[in-house]
Amino acid sequence: WGGPWWDTPVAAGVPSDPYLMTGFEHKCIHLAHESDREVTFTVEVDFKGCGDYRPGHSFRVPAGGYVHHTFPTGFSAHWLRVVADADCVATAQLFYT
């Protein structure tokens, strides 16, 4: 359990630090924010581990809301990072097994 943001002030369009994603069979992400408007979070993934991030899943999180996503079985990447489309205080945490 861990992730790049925990009640962290984030700027729109600025990626989080990379977070390790490889080596786990089951993966899910928890996204939340404290903004009074909807915020879209884009999870960018680096499949090869060489710093080449590609947009993956995008999630619209309602005002002051929360979204949980379980990645499909077999989904694999070395690293991920998260980008918000608005300034906010955000949480992006992952749970792996």
Side-chain angles (χ1 to χ4, degrees):
W1 180 266
W5 295 334
W6 183 268
D7 289 337
T8 303
V10 301
V14 178
S16 70
D17 288 339
Y19 196 78
L20 186 65
M21 190 177 210
T22 192
F24 300 94
E25 185 175 348
H26 305 285
K27 306 166 190 76
C28 63
I29 190 165
H30 302 264
L31 300 166
H33 65 84
E34 297 178 6
S35 177
D36 61 358
R37 65 172 216 121
E38 180 181 274
V39 176
T40 298
F41 292 88
T42 300
V43 175
E44 298 180 339
V45 290
D46 174 2
F47 291 107
K48 297 180 182 180
C50 62
D52 182 21
Y53 286 89
R54 304 292 177 154
H57 298 80
S58 287
F59 304 96
R60 295 185 341 209
V61 181
Y66 163 82
V67 168
H68 167 264
H69 172 75
T70 300
F71 291 93
T73 301
F75 181 84
S76 183
H78 277 73
W79 298 95
L80 68 75
R81 63 187 188 185
V82 182
V83 181
D85 74 342
D87 294 351
C88 62
V89 174
T91 295
Q93 293 286 297
L94 294 116
F95 182 73
Y96 302 147
T97 57

